Amino acid sequence: MDRTDYAILSVIALATVAIGVFTTTKPLSTFFVESTRQFVTTTAAMAWITWWALVIGFAIAGGVEAWTSGETISNLLEGHGPRELGYGTLFGFVSSSCSYSAIATAKNLFKKGGSAAATLGAFMFASTNLVIEIGVVIWLLLGWQFLLADIVGGFMLIGLMAFGFIYLVPDEVVEQARQNVLDEDTLTARDPVCGMEVDPENADYSIEHDGQTYYFCSASCKDSFDPEEANTTIREQATSLSGWKALADKQWSEWGMLWDEIAIGFVFAGLVAGFIPEQVWTTVFSGATFGLPVYVFWTAVLGAGIGVATFVCSVGNVPFAAVLFSNGLPFGSVLSYIYADLIVPPIVDAYREYYGTKFAAVLSGMIFAAAVLTGFVIHFLFLGAGIIPDPSAVTIAEVEIEMGYKLVLNVLATGLFLVLYWLHRSDVAEEGHGEHAHPAD
């Protein structure tokens, strides 16, 4: 996020407090004291409940990224059949949970020849909404029913996106978008040591081995590269110090990309829970006046709109989703809110820069429509199965630090976090020393 995004979020936060001030029936002094207390305790409670899941989730994502092959996968995503969509979903599932990283990776895969359905549909969505971290946080804050709905709805949304790209979007529009990317960007290679994307045309460091060229971001990466270890197994990586250092570097980059969005999600959830009076929610979600289907549909549209307006993506969406559900937003409409994280304004602007204005509008419109339709269908599917949870079961309680599994998990997770941070810092220090020790080629 840049300064403009933070400025907009600050305005939204002030507007939230202002709504509370103008709608409360309590004396202002009492309102501010009670609301501030609720804001702080809700924010702290959600961070406490999810801390261990976030640490473990990022560590797993870092391991997958560091210990699996970096071989180009775009050739597996060239078509739009079940196989290609399945690969796109799988690669997204084990990829980054940061929306900004996901759209950049999807762009790269699309640029290299992957189909729009497999890259901009399956991969891009799965890498933000079907990853391990968001799944665990959804389970902790919203319950297993929401986790199941997120998975089932995720496959449905991917199917809708694929249908749109195959049957509704003209081929020439898709190919023009690909050409826009090729005109504005260059193909990149992956540094086999640190995983950084490198421009082959401008790379200062490279090695030829067995007919393949490896490109590096720095002299230290080149000097530490061992061709014989380039294809080490996951077991070998998991039992070596270098493998764990690579994991630490990857998981730290995940934190670097996403920590602010997670924190903003907790803060906004606390603000809304603390400063918006209950009567506001009962007025907005007054009930199915024109019948349940109409009510669920328009609130799904509202939920997706809120998802766009809040600027928060991926895991950061979940705490706010818990507050929305506990205050009356229907089950399926909450899913529409979560799914809309790929069309927040900064990301839509990135689509415009990548693919051109026309395709950015098409892609954003498809995601919005798919999010609304998926939330609507999933709501009635789960309603028919009788497994929509009670809003009172959502976890937005005050923080209570007591002896139990949460305390044990958080202590262990904190230890793991500190160890991985130490490995990351020691690796950075070694690389810095190496850069001074080895002059550029």
Side-chain angles (χ1 to χ4, degrees):
M1 291 189 176
D2 57 24
R3 291 182 178 179
T4 302
D5 298 334
Y6 285 119
I8 293 173
L9 288 170
S10 298
V11 171
I12 295 174
L14 291 173
T16 300
V17 175
I19 290 173
V21 168
F22 287 109
T23 57
T24 184
T25 57
K26 300 177 182 178
L28 284 183
S29 58
T30 302
F31 169 75
F32 271 108
V33 170
E34 293 181 353
S35 297
T36 301
R37 177 179 176 276
Q38 181 66 31
F39 158 57
V40 172
T41 55
T42 298
T43 302
M46 289 189 168
W48 171 257
I49 292 166
T50 59
W51 169 244
W52 68 268
L54 291 171
V55 172
I56 294 174
F58 282 132
I60 293 173
V64 170
E65 185 77 8
W67 297 349
T68 55
S69 173
E71 184 180 357
T72 302
I73 61 174
S74 57
N75 61 320
L76 296 175
L77 306 180
E78 289 182 355
H80 46 244
R83 176 178 175 273
E84 290 79 10
L85 294 177
Y87 274 127
T89 302
L90 175 63
F91 292 138
F93 168 71
V94 300
S95 185
S96 171
S97 60
C98 171
S99 299
Y100 296 95
S101 174
I103 66 169
T105 304
K107 178 203 70 172
N108 232 18
L109 295 172
F110 178 63
K111 174 179 60 180
K112 294 176 181 179
S115 70
T119 58
L120 306 182
F123 175 86
M124 193 166 70
F125 180 81
S127 61
T128 55
N129 289 288
L130 294 180
V131 289
I132 295 171
E133 303 95 298
I134 195 171
V136 176
V137 175
I138 286 175
W139 170 52
L140 290 174
L141 295 183
L142 289 164
W144 67 266
Q145 299 95 329
F146 267 100
L147 175 57
L148 179 61
D150 179 64
I151 296 171
V152 175
F155 285 116
M156 178 182 171
L157 189 144
I158 289 171
L160 288 172
M161 293 293 292
F163 179 87
F165 281 123
I166 297 169
Y167 297 106
L168 301 180
V169 182
D171 291 342
E172 56 268 25
V173 173
V174 174
E175 291 311 312
Q176 181 58 55
R178 196 190 311 274
Q179 189 58 49
N180 288 339
V181 177
L182 291 170
D183 290 342
E184 295 296 328
D185 209 353
T186 58
L187 293 177
T188 59
R190 188 183 183 86
D191 185 322
V193 175
C194 69
M196 182 178 293
E197 293 291 329
V198 180
D199 181 357
E201 294 185 1
N202 297 318
D204 294 325
Y205 311 98
S206 64
I207 289 177
E208 292 281 346
H209 179 73
D210 285 346
Q212 182 174 352
T213 303
Y214 297 91
Y215 297 93
F216 306 90
C217 67
S218 65
S220 62
C221 281
K222 177 183 176 181
D223 292 336
S224 61
F225 175 66
D226 183 351
E228 299 302 322
E229 295 182 357
N231 295 313
T232 53
T233 65
I234 293 178
R235 182 175 180 178
E236 290 169 334
Q237 291 273 27
T239 55
S240 68
L241 180 61
S242 60
W244 279 92
K245 285 185 176 181
L247 180 152
D249 290 340
K250 292 297 182 183
Q251 70 91 37
W252 193 254
S253 69
E254 288 288 310
W255 278 110
M257 290 186 291
L258 206 58
W259 73 268
D260 55 346
E261 292 189 10
I262 295 173
I264 290 168
F266 289 145
V267 169
F268 267 84
L271 278 174
V272 172
F275 283 90
I276 302 296
E278 185 177 351
Q279 61 265 28
V280 174
W281 297 112
T282 56
T283 300
V284 175
F285 306 123
S286 56
T289 305
F290 298 101
L292 185 61
V294 173
Y295 178 65
V296 173
F297 179 78
W298 81 258
T299 53
V301 174
L302 176 64
I306 294 173
V308 173
T310 53
F311 278 63
V312 183
C313 304
S314 195
V315 182
N317 264 339
V318 182
F320 194 38
V323 172
L324 291 173
F325 183 60
S326 67
N327 283 286
L329 189 67
F331 180 80
S333 304
V334 174
L335 285 178
S336 297
Y337 160 76
I338 294 174
Y339 291 156
D341 63 342
L342 283 170
I343 45 176
V344 297
I347 288 181
V348 172
D349 189 54
Y351 293 153
R352 182 187 58 78
E353 293 180 3
Y354 291 162
Y355 311 115
T357 302
K358 182 176 183 179
F359 190 78
V362 170
L363 178 59
S364 301
M366 286 175 59
I367 294 174
F368 187 91
V372 171
L373 184 57
T374 298
F376 180 82
V377 172
I378 292 297
H379 182 94
F380 287 100
L381 181 64
F382 276 58
L383 180 64
I387 54 174
I388 290 181
D390 191 309
S392 63
V394 172
T395 302
I396 52 171
E398 296 181 6
V399 62
E400 294 181 3
I401 301 178
E402 56 186 15
M403 183 58 67
Y405 79 95
K406 291 177 186 176
L407 177 61
V408 173
L409 289 173
N410 279 330
V411 169
L412 293 176
T414 301
L416 175 63
F417 179 84
L418 293 174
V419 169
L420 292 177
Y421 178 71
W422 176 78
L423 287 172
H424 165 72
R425 293 304 304 169
S426 64
D427 202 32
V428 170
E430 289 177 8
E431 287 186 8
H433 178 72
E435 287 180 2
H436 290 292
H438 301 284
D441 290 355

